[in-house]
């Protein structure tokens, strides 16, 4: 079971994936992308992960920016924050610091 909001997130990402693949002429099945495990979602398939708010945002950002078919979640999260973290190592340090505090 999923809520209407979770279903909406799934549909939003599926629509964005299909639109991007068509727009950029990507010769890969959008549905196959939705079912393949992705590093971006900690090894989960997007069809499972994107019902979560954060993973939905990550997927939309990945496809809106056209930055590949998978990405390091830490790098995408650094784009989603208001802080001044620029590099992956800085982001990892910031995440570790916030976990300790």
């Amino acid at each position: 079971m999923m809520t209407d909001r979770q279903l909406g997130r799934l549909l939003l990402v599926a629509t964005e994936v299909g639109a991007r693949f068509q727009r950029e002429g990507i010769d890969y099945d959008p549905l196959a992308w939705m079912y393949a495990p992705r590093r971006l979602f900690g090894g989960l398939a997007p069809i499972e992960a994107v019902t979560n708010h954060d993973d939905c945002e990550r997927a939309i950002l990945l496809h809106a920016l056209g930055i590949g078919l998978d990405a390091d979640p830490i790098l995408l999260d650094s784009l989603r924050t208001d802080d001044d973290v620029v590099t992956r190592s800085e982001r990892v340090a910031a995440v570790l610091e916030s976990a300790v505090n």
Side-chain angles (χ1 to χ4, degrees):
M1 295 291 291
M2 69 175 61
T3 66
D4 288 344
R5 189 167 288 182
Q6 289 172 316
L7 180 59
R9 289 180 188 129
L10 177 60
L11 294 172
L12 173 66
V13 171
T15 302
E16 181 63 29
V17 170
R20 177 187 176 201
F21 282 28
Q22 182 177 18
R23 179 177 62 244
E24 295 182 10
I26 296 173
D27 190 28
Y28 190 75
D29 182 4
L31 190 57
W33 185 89
M34 292 293 295
Y35 276 101
R38 301 286 166 193
R39 181 173 50 141
L40 180 61
F41 310 117
L44 291 176
I47 198 161
E48 298 174 64
V50 301
T51 59
N52 170 284
H53 181 266
D54 287 334
D55 287 331
C56 178
E57 282 188 0
R58 288 181 188 108
I60 295 299
L61 188 58
L62 176 81
H63 292 293
L65 296 176
I67 54 175
L69 299 182
D70 201 359
D72 185 332
I74 293 174
L75 290 175
L76 278 180
D77 287 347
S78 70
L79 296 173
R80 296 174 50 224
T81 65
D82 291 333
D83 60 18
D84 294 329
V85 174
V86 178
T87 67
R88 183 181 194 285
S89 60
E90 289 175 333
R91 182 66 183 157
V92 169
V95 168
L96 292 175
E97 183 179 323
S98 68
V100 171
N101 295 330

